[in-house]
Amino acid sequence: MARGTRATPKSYELEAAQAAALDLLLAGQTVTAAAAAVGVARETVSRWRNNDPAFQAAYNAALQSAH
């Protein structure tokens, strides 16, 4: 893996768009930018971040592993 890239933990069942949005958010992109990049509405990424347990777990795990 290249330096500075993050992998989505394999134990979380995310759709391809969710995994891509997660990587973008972890790289510092805004919800709006991540949504545009993966072709979904901003509200969709916001809903994943706030209400989807698998997305939240993957996001939190990636943040924890960055420390």
Side-chain angles (χ1 to χ4, degrees), residues 27-39:
Q29 293 293 313
T30 65
V31 169
T32 302
V38 299

Side-chain angles (χ1 to χ4, degrees), residues 51-63:
N51 300 318
D52 186 297
F55 191 89
Q56 290 173 323
Y59 183 81
N60 290 332
L63 290 177

Side-chain angles (χ1 to χ4, degrees), residues 6 26 59-67:
R6 294 177 177 91
L26 293 170
Y59 183 81
N60 290 332
L63 290 177
Q64 289 297 318
S65 70
H67 292 160

Side-chain angles (χ1 to χ4, degrees), residues 14-44:
L14 300 180
E15 297 175 11
Q18 288 178 308
L22 176 61
D23 287 341
L24 291 166
L25 291 172
L26 293 170
Q29 293 293 313
T30 65
V31 169
T32 302
V38 299
V40 298
R42 179 192 58 77
E43 293 84 3
T44 300

